[in-house]
Amino acid sequence: MKIAVIGSGYVGLVTGACLTEMGNKVVCVDLDADKVAQLQAGQVPIYEPGLDAVMASARQAGLLHFSTCLAESIYGADYIILAVGTPMAANGQCDLSAVFAVAESLGRSLSDYAVIITKSTVPVGTGDQIEAIVATQLQSRGERFTVDVVSNPEFLKEGTAVRDFMTPDRIIIGAESVRAQEMMDMLYAPYLRRSDRIMHMGRREAEMTKYAANAMLATRISFMNEIAGLCERCEVDVEQVRLGVGADQRIGSAFLYPGAGYGGSCFPKDVRALIATGSTRQLDMQILKAVDERNSQQQRRLYERLCEAFNGDLAGRRIALWGLAFKPGTDDIREAPSLVLIDALLEAGAQVSAFDPVAGNNIARYFQGHPQASALCLVVDQYEAPVGADALVLVTEWKRFRQPDFRALKLAMKGSLIVDGRNQYDPAYLARAGFDYWGIGRDNRRLRAPLSSDQRERRII
């Protein structure tokens, strides 16, 4: 089958590349001529494990192409996938201008029936608007054929996106016609040979499902971070609480890890979009407002802890950071906690030395032009960052940070404070190694040393 993917960003590239794995011919369309030239030269502009290999194989087989011309790319296409950006506007709502612009172009260029698939995360009712725009353009041209607009939200996790696409846990299809449902079933049949995980529903229901799923996951994170704050004040170890709560089969352990707050392109934007959607319909989304506010506070927690440790004076202090991407497995820094931390440290007059396996260049571009940019040093070696540092902060939990050489770390650092933004390390072990440990929601004083047998007995009693 022939498929056109409009938009060659994260979702568009992963979707287009993975669709070629089943023999489909795919052309990815983008207005950015430089990006298209880069892709045609075999360069992958984003970091996603396994994507480069899939794209290279598809290009070699002649199944994957890139273009700046929408009209040529959609000619004869069975499916047209919309994967353009829907950035957040100042009022929290999605900016749908790119989506609607593509819809108008499709209406002016289509020559036959096709299924238009919306992969972009869009508010409820957007599919209706796309359908109306395309229909209006077709009618103005005197065309008698129609198209089907389907909502098919993506649930790709950055860092495992290729695997998620190839072996999905569910596929949501929001279609308004039997023909569209059958076409979508045919598209995804090769990915579901072992079990049928397609869920059919209305188009508006599918649009809402994407938002509701992300909002629920964000809520779990913010809830656990709030519990972590209470645990600190009650001299309770949140890690034990987390295990006890997650063992409840009605709850489960996923997304119950306290930390520095969530980031990325989905959770912050989607939570705020739902709040904005509620506002336009005179509904106060109180829970989601609290989720968003808690996350904003949590993203400042690492900086606040450093201020507490150094009595509010960070001027001249050297702070080392491990991890800059919003999560491991990606170079994406959108809404990353590291951005909040670095900005606050630079404003406070601190020197920042930071390392991330893949996100360093994106951080450099982000802080280019910052008044204190000269105080930010991005290094290429994990152990270069803490040299002479007064404190080390673990921001992103890349695997290579799980079992570092603490002896080398102790020799490299000037100070002894480790701020564990992901509760990855054993406080008692670090205490024995001569470090001053602080974690999220942990009884940091009590956990610095192992309990004596007498203390264990008293706790049991």
Side-chain angles (χ1 to χ4, degrees), residues 8-245:
S8 60
Y10 187 89
V11 174
L13 282 182
V14 172
T15 299
C18 289
L19 284 171
T20 65
E21 286 285 276
M22 300 303 172
N24 297 300
K25 294 182 178 180
V26 177
V27 56
C28 292
V29 186
D30 202 285
L31 292 175
D32 188 337
D34 291 337
K35 179 187 287 187
V36 170
Q38 184 180 4
L39 290 165
Q40 289 173 336
Q43 301 173 23
V44 184
I46 62 172
Y47 177 81
E48 178 60 39
L51 179 60
D52 53 350
V54 174
M55 290 178 62
S57 175
R59 290 179 68 252
Q60 185 175 13
L63 296 175
L64 182 61
H65 301 275
F66 305 95
S67 174
T68 58
C69 183
L70 183 143
E72 291 181 1
S73 300
I74 67 173
Y75 182 78
D78 303 289
Y79 305 90
I80 300 169
I81 298 175
L82 304 189
V84 298
T86 55
M88 184 175 58
N91 61 0
Q93 295 181 341
C94 275
D95 180 353
L96 297 173
S97 58
V99 173
F100 294 150
V102 170
E104 289 188 3
S105 296
L106 292 176
R108 292 193 299 265
S109 305
L110 281 167
S111 57
D112 202 351
Y113 172 84
V115 178
I116 299 174
I117 303 170
T118 305
K119 279 284 185 186
S120 303
T121 302
V122 295
V124 173
T126 302
D128 301 344
Q129 294 174 277
I130 294 172
E131 186 175 68
I133 291 171
V134 174
T136 298
Q137 292 294 328
L138 291 177
Q139 290 170 8
S140 69
R141 294 166 48 204
E143 298 287 359
R144 296 185 177 181
F145 67 88
T146 60
V147 299
D148 277 311
V149 177
V150 174
S151 174
N152 177 215
E154 55 84 17
F155 297 98
L156 307 176
K157 299 183 293 294
E158 295 190 38
T160 60
V162 173
R163 184 181 67 195
D164 292 343
F165 193 98
M166 301 303 295
T167 57
D169 57 3
R170 86 282 203 197
I171 296 172
I172 303 294
I173 294 176
E176 300 298 325
S177 76
V178 174
R179 184 181 184 182
Q181 287 185 359
E182 292 175 347
M183 289 282 287
M184 294 300 292
D185 286 348
M186 183 166 58
L187 177 65
Y188 282 113
Y191 302 89
L192 302 170
R193 294 180 66 85
R194 294 185 178 180
S195 62
D196 187 358
R197 295 180 294 279
I198 287 182
M199 300 181 67
H200 288 287
M201 58 184 67
R203 188 165 57 205
R204 295 168 72 93
E205 284 74 16
E207 291 169 339
M208 180 61 83
T209 297
K210 168 66 173 181
Y211 277 105
N214 280 350
M216 171 58 75
L217 298 177
T219 299
R220 288 170 66 95
I221 294 171
S222 282
F223 169 81
M224 206 63 212
N225 280 332
E226 188 151 291
I227 292 297
L230 184 60
C231 284
E232 285 184 31
R233 302 194 179 198
C234 294
E235 299 183 356
V236 170
D237 181 11
V238 73
E239 287 301 299
Q240 297 182 41
V241 174
R242 176 183 64 79
L243 292 172
V245 172

Side-chain angles (χ1 to χ4, degrees), residues 440-455:
I440 300 286
R442 313 200 75 174
D443 184 2
N444 294 293
R445 291 166 296 178
R446 182 168 55 83
L447 291 176
R448 286 176 185 165
L451 296 176
S452 67
S453 59
D454 182 56
Q455 287 173 318

Side-chain angles (χ1 to χ4, degrees), residues 218-219 221-222 225 260-264 267-268 271 291-292 295 299 326 335 337:
T219 299
I221 294 171
S222 282
N225 280 332
Y262 58 75
F267 288 5
V271 167
V291 168
D292 187 46
N295 192 62
Q299 288 197 337
F326 89 92
E335 302 277 348

Side-chain angles (χ1 to χ4, degrees), residues 365-418:
R365 283 190 290 270
Y366 182 90
F367 283 97
Q368 188 175 15
H370 190 286
Q372 286 80 39
S374 61
L376 172 61
C377 178
L378 298 167
V379 301
V380 296
D381 180 80
Q382 174 179 343
Y383 292 97
E384 184 180 353
V387 172
D390 295 284
L392 169 67
V393 185
L394 176 68
V395 186
T396 310
E397 67 278 29
W398 287 89
K399 289 182 179 179
R400 66 171 62 189
F401 300 144
R402 290 184 181 178
Q403 291 184 325
D405 185 343
F406 286 110
R407 295 188 187 90
L409 194 59
K410 192 72 172 64
L411 291 173
M413 291 179 62
K414 174 183 176 182
S416 60
L417 175 62
I418 292 182

